Amino acid sequence: MPRAFDSLRRRVEQSDLLVGALGGAVAGWIRLCDRTTRWDRHGEAEVAAAVAQGPVIMVLWHEMLMMGSVHWRRDWGRLATLHDASPGGRAGAVTQERLGATPFLVSAKRSNLGLTRDVLNMLKDGTSLAIAGDGPRGPRRVLRDPTLDWARAAGAPV
């Protein structure tokens, strides 16, 4: 019985249809929550001024990452988000895309140097980046070094 369950679980995880449906449902839920919540916005003028000079790196804690693309004004330019190939990462990518961001696949097979090159090229091309500062594996709410390293190397404000 466990073998049959594992086989079914793998097929579900690899289904683009189910991942797309889950991502679409999450995006719809986030839009509903955004529209029915009263927001106090602070710092938009500073972000707009920074984006006018070039791309920025928006750092959010992992549990807030989906809200980054919701509150990113379209007149600020393109926004990219990183995701992995796991089922959760793929569903997150669909969600981000439906909320207006450009998902960028981070391959576990590529080196950190290759990822850094890709991120720096993205920033050089004028695309801002939304990233989880604490990464997918944590520790929770502890900023990891790559974010600041990328910002320093690209000269992009955080």
Side-chain angles (χ1 to χ4, degrees), residues 34 39 41 44 66-74 76:
D34 181 56
W39 296 96
R41 298 179 182 264
E44 275 193 350
M66 292 295 168
M67 295 307 290
S69 54
V70 172
H71 293 277
W72 182 262
R73 290 186 358 207
R74 300 302 167 242
W76 290 345

Side-chain angles (χ1 to χ4, degrees), residues 84-142:
D84 63 13
S86 70
R90 289 174 38 232
V94 170
T95 303
Q96 291 286 7
E97 189 169 37
R98 294 205 179 164
L99 294 174
T102 302
F104 183 80
L105 177 63
V106 175
S107 172
K109 296 177 182 176
R110 294 204 56 204
S111 69
N112 288 341
L113 182 59
L115 174 60
T116 297
R117 258 191 241 116
D118 290 342
V119 167
L120 293 178
N121 285 334
M122 215 181 321
L123 292 165
K124 181 181 171 189
D125 291 340
T127 301
S128 293
L129 178 67
I131 186 170
D134 51 357
R137 289 185 213 86
R140 187 172 183 258
R141 294 198 172 204
V142 174

Side-chain angles (χ1 to χ4, degrees), residues 13-37:
E13 286 176 350
Q14 294 171 356
S15 168
D16 289 338
L17 180 65
L18 289 175
V19 166
L22 177 61
V26 171
W29 177 251
I30 290 172
R31 277 195 196 101
L32 175 69
C33 292
D34 181 56
R35 288 185 184 126
T36 58
T37 300

